[in-house]
Amino acid sequence: MAWHVSVYVTLKPSVMDPQGATVQRALNQMGYKAVTDVRVGKFTELEFEAGLSEADVKKQADEICDKLLANPNIESYRFTVEKK
Amino acid sequence: MAWHVSVYVTLKPSVMDPQGATVQRALNQMGYKAVTDVRVGKFTELEFEAGLSEADVKKQADEICDKLLANPNIESYRFTVEKK
């Protein structure tokens, strides 16, 4: 048993996403004309020791997102915590 | 209204993840000693035209993952579809 945290980092809606635009163009050229928008983000899975409380895991995950995984100027993040 | 597809691409468990190992080392050095494993994946959001059926969206999303978003040799993927 350990704490499993799934972190989703996405660009804020107002921020241009050239990588997403490139993927969209590629898909349209491949024949997937119904794809109207693509945004590329990051997905990170963290394992924490089982000994921590859920509140501790959430607090640490929040700090880790702010300090390392996301750039708060241009990205937003959310995460889920499960014990498994 | 449009179809919103969230795609999660992760390395298969047997595949080494040097980027994840680097993030874990950084976190441990920053004082987050309870983080025992980190895996880095990709998160992509696709918008499809609302006119498609849900079955069509799933079929196209599946093909897109296989052909462009994931490398089936080393990565696995899953996606969720919502209308919003």
Side-chain angles (χ1 to χ4, degrees):
Chain A
M1 294 284 284
W3 292 103
H4 187 88
V5 179
S6 299
V7 179
Y8 310 90
V9 177
T10 49
L11 284 170
K12 290 182 180 170
S14 59
V15 177
M16 296 269 288
D17 181 359
Q19 191 184 359
T22 303
V23 172
Q24 189 201 339
R25 216 162 30 240
L27 289 173
N28 290 164
Q29 283 166 2
M30 286 163 72
Y32 299 102
K33 309 279 190 202
V35 176
T36 56
D37 192 33
V38 177
R39 305 280 288 176
V40 176
K42 289 178 282 187
F43 174 54
T44 308
E45 294 169 293
L46 308 170
E47 298 279 341
F48 285 83
E49 283 169 10
L52 274 70
S53 71
E54 185 167 358
D56 267 347
V57 173
K58 285 186 177 168
K59 185 173 168 290
Q60 293 193 22
D62 213 40
E63 291 174 7
I64 286 169
C65 290
D66 268 331
K67 291 183 189 168
L68 192 74
L69 298 182
N71 174 349
N73 293 310
I74 56 167
E75 292 171 329
S76 48
Y77 62 84
R78 62 191 168 83
F79 59 81
T80 60
V81 176
E82 330 164 67
K83 199 154 195 174
K84 65 181 185 186
Chain B
M1 293 282 285
W3 291 103
H4 186 88
V5 179
S6 299
V7 179
Y8 310 90
V9 176
T10 50
L11 284 170
K12 289 182 180 171
S14 58
V15 177
M16 295 269 288
D17 182 0
Q19 191 185 358
T22 302
V23 171
Q24 190 202 337
R25 215 161 34 238
L27 289 173
N28 292 164
Q29 284 167 2
M30 286 162 71
Y32 299 102
K33 309 278 189 202
V35 176
T36 56
D37 191 33
V38 176
R39 306 279 288 176
V40 176
K42 289 179 282 188
F43 174 53
T44 308
E45 294 169 292
L46 307 170
E47 298 278 342
F48 285 82
E49 283 170 11
L52 274 69
S53 71
E54 184 166 357
D56 268 346
V57 173
K58 285 185 176 169
K59 184 174 169 289
Q60 292 195 20
D62 212 41
E63 291 175 7
I64 286 170
C65 290
D66 268 332
K67 291 185 190 167
L68 190 74
L69 299 182
N71 174 348
N73 294 309
I74 56 167
E75 291 170 329
S76 48
Y77 62 83
R78 62 191 166 83
F79 59 82
T80 60
V81 176
E82 329 162 69
K83 199 154 195 173
K84 65 182 184 186

